[in-house]
Amino acid sequence: RHTFPCQSLVPTPASVKYSAPHRPVIKMSPSTATETSSLLGNNRGDSSHTSPVTFRAVCDGTPTVTSRTRVLMATLLGLAALMGALRTYRNGFGGLERLRMEDWYTTDRCTVYAYFEDQGMGDGAAMEVWRRTWAAAGWKPVVLDERHAAAHPNYEEFKGKFATYPTTNPAGYEVACYLRHLALAAVGGGWLCDYDLFNVNLAPPPKCDWLPNDGALTTHDSFVPALTSGTAAEYTRIAVEMAATDVNVVMAAVQVAMVSDMIFMNYFEQKGTIKTRFTTLTAPTFIRNPPCDEHGVEFAPMVFHMSHEMMSFLNADMGNRAGVMTQHYEGLMQSKAQCTQLTFDNNSDYANSFFPETPTPMQHAYKVEFQCAHDGGEACNVMTPEEINQVIPPNKGALGQDALQQHNPAAPMHEKFNTE
């Protein structure tokens, strides 16, 4: 028990200020401050949480501490250290003492992750739009960072290796793109998004226990890892592949002069190392209004990647990615209210609605749009104008232009896109 020569102590969590990571300072009035370690749990380096046991004196005077209190404090400190050691032992990884357990390890497949380290190319406001749109669709969005990647036993070795890879992007940004796969392995695998991927109607699995392709590493924007799914073992496997594969072989195969996790995914797609799908869509302006099929049912899934290339394609302000995402999200949400909502009761119905083995007309149209925009020529001629216009309005995108021109067989080559 703390003994003061005047009035009793009053609990005041707001009185705690953080002068260094994990070290709250308890303010005493009038001028005495005692620096102490957090006894009961706020050792996470997160200033949004306050120590659960903090006090302030409400009168003048110097606090005194009894010998009994010293014994109690020592006991609590020992208990806190033991709890931290048990957390580390239980999960087989070190370095996560600062993080809340519920934030970092789960096999709940209704959890969706984004990885964010602001390396000069980040956009915290876009991250908040990502979080809001995925939460509104029923998911549990969680933001990971390098602390999670550092929990993986290959972190130190792989980070050093990835930092040597040739790139034209800021080095820190590129390394973060590699490390996110280690982070997903450390937290239990699942769904990984780019932070600029907004969600209009992709719901989570009904029982929170399902992944596409039985958990095999799958990219859902062709080879672009804007939306990726897989088990923890699969994320580790692909990180090992990226660390072990000769980058010169990758660059030669993809015909580029640099590598990134996207370039590796392109190479792995060629080698059959990963599964790929066309789940996410091209420009949000390419979809019909309202976004319903011929039966009046909403297209699905409507998930859009507002990448650097897409922002440029839309002539949008690169500094206002969050605003552009919000504008298109709100417009599509309002428009799809005119459609009949999809329903499903089990994993089979869910998979058939969002991840069917045979692509829906919408998914097929967007796959051909992607290939037409990248490759041109014959890639643009595999759908009729009627099939195209079921999804993509006339005069929109490479396919819409071709449909408007009566499916011109001499379609010109289209400029290759940088889809990151």
Side-chain angles (χ1 to χ4, degrees):
R1 183 179 64 188
H2 294 261
T3 303
F4 283 81
C6 55
Q7 191 174 339
S8 299
L9 295 173
V10 179
T12 56
S15 67
V16 178
K17 290 187 176 181
Y18 289 85
S19 59
H22 334 309
R23 301 176 65 193
V25 176
I26 301 177
K27 297 180 66 180
M28 298 295 182
S29 176
S31 59
T32 302
T34 302
E35 186 173 304
T36 181
S37 298
S38 175
L39 301 182
L40 294 178
N42 195 340
N43 56 350
R44 305 161 190 152
D46 183 353
S47 60
S48 65
H49 297 82
T50 55
S51 175
V53 181
T54 58
F55 299 90
R56 67 175 173 83
V58 295
C59 59
D60 292 342
T62 303
T64 60
V65 180
T66 66
S67 59
R68 180 180 176 184
T69 300
R70 294 189 185 95
V71 173
L72 177 61
M73 291 177 67
T75 301
L76 289 173
L77 285 169
L79 179 60
L82 177 62
M83 289 173 65
L86 287 174
R87 284 200 304 271
T88 301
Y89 172 78
R90 174 180 175 181
N91 297 289
F93 297 122
L96 285 185
E97 302 83 34
R98 298 171 296 172
L99 303 174
R100 294 176 297 181
M101 290 180 66
E102 64 268 25
D103 277 354
W104 67 268
Y105 190 89
T106 184
T107 55
D108 179 349
R109 301 315 184 196
C110 290
T111 300
V112 61
Y113 298 99
Y115 187 94
F116 186 74
E117 290 282 350
D118 192 346
Q119 299 287 347
M121 295 177 70
D123 189 338
M127 174 64 73
E128 291 307 312
V129 178
W130 170 83
R131 193 197 309 266
R132 177 168 61 89
T133 65
W134 283 83
W139 295 79
K140 305 166 189 175
V142 173
V143 179
L144 305 178
D145 57 38
E146 192 168 347
R147 294 175 298 174
H148 301 85
H152 196 282
N154 295 114
Y155 164 73
E156 293 288 351
E157 175 191 356
F158 285 7
K159 182 180 180 181
K161 184 72 176 293
F162 296 147
T164 68
Y165 287 175
T167 180
T168 57
N169 293 322
Y173 168 84
E174 206 69 84
V175 169
C177 289
Y178 294 115
L179 291 181
R180 58 181 173 168
H181 303 285
L182 286 182
L184 257 290
V187 300
W191 303 87
L192 171 64
C193 287
D194 279 354
Y195 67 83
D196 51 8
L197 191 78
F198 70 88
N199 185 355
V200 176
N201 72 344
L202 173 57
K207 297 182 179 180
C208 301
D209 63 353
W210 183 86
L211 289 172
N213 293 322
D214 295 322
L217 201 290
T218 306
T219 55
H220 294 269
D221 190 4
S222 183
F223 56 81
V224 181
L227 176 63
T228 308
S229 60
T231 63
E234 282 288 276
Y235 280 103
T236 291
R237 180 181 67 85
I238 213 64
V240 170
E241 291 278 358
M242 288 190 287
T245 304
D246 186 338
V247 296
N248 294 303
V249 173
V250 175
M251 291 188 292
V254 184
Q255 298 182 357
V256 292
M258 59 163 281
V259 290
S260 66
D261 69 329
M262 186 189 76
I263 299 298
F264 271 104
M265 294 299 185
N266 190 344
Y267 175 73
F268 294 153
E269 179 189 35
Q270 296 177 25
K271 302 291 288 184
T273 307
I274 63 172
K275 305 285 188 179
T276 60
R277 287 178 177 265
F278 281 84
T279 303
T280 63
L281 306 182
T282 318
T285 57
F286 286 6
I287 199 163
R288 298 195 70 87
N289 184 13
C292 322
D293 65 18
E294 66 272 22
H295 304 294
V297 178
E298 64 184 5
F299 287 130
M302 286 188 280
V303 186
F304 297 91
H305 184 200
M306 201 58 61
S307 64
H308 305 316
E309 177 272 327
M310 187 54 62
M311 291 287 290
S312 176
F313 176 80
L314 296 174
N315 294 316
D317 178 6
M318 290 289 184
N320 188 35
R321 193 187 307 269
V324 176
M325 291 170 67
T326 298
Q327 174 189 351
H328 288 290
Y329 170 74
E330 293 180 349
L332 285 164
M333 289 296 290
Q334 182 178 2
S335 178
K336 86 177 185 72
Q338 303 174 54
C339 309
T340 301
Q341 187 174 359
L342 284 168
T343 59
F344 46 86
D345 299 318
N346 52 59
N347 286 343
S348 177
D349 290 345
Y350 173 81
N352 288 333
S353 296
F354 296 111
F355 303 94
E357 291 305 313
T358 301
T360 65
M362 182 195 71
Q363 291 171 329
H364 181 54
Y366 272 91
K367 176 180 180 179
V368 176
E369 163 67 28
F370 180 93
Q371 293 172 334
C372 176
H374 284 73
D375 302 325
E378 290 303 314
C380 301
N381 299 323
V382 299
M383 296 183 73
T384 67
E386 292 75 21
E387 290 173 327
I388 295 166
N389 289 332
Q390 285 182 10
V391 179
I392 301 175
N395 203 31
K396 292 290 185 181
L399 291 180
Q401 290 285 355
D402 287 338
L404 192 67
Q405 298 164 15
Q406 299 302 309
H407 205 51
N408 179 9
M413 291 291 288
H414 294 266
E415 180 181 0
K416 283 181 175 284
F417 291 157
N418 171 16
T419 51
E420 281 197 300

